[in-house]
Amino acid sequence: MTHATAQEWQIDAVDVPAYLAALRVEPAAPPNLDLLEHLHRAHVSTFPFSKVGGAAG
């Protein structure tokens, strides 16, 4: 199994503060499981899977 690098995923292009604002999620320090669960629920409810088609090509 090969792993993609941060460069391949274009992680540098992600505007994390804007992403969190779109999800209405406040980052916690340090990150924890509750934050991860909240982030996941917020992402799924904010960005429906049907919107992925445009990104997939």
Side-chain angles (χ1 to χ4, degrees), residues 6-35:
Q7 184 178 11
E8 290 170 319
W9 279 92
Q10 300 178 358
I11 298 297
D12 296 342
V14 175
D15 183 347
V16 174
Y19 171 71
L20 293 175
L23 298 179
R24 297 187 176 120
V25 170
E26 292 291 328
N32 56 50
L33 181 58
D34 288 336
L35 175 62

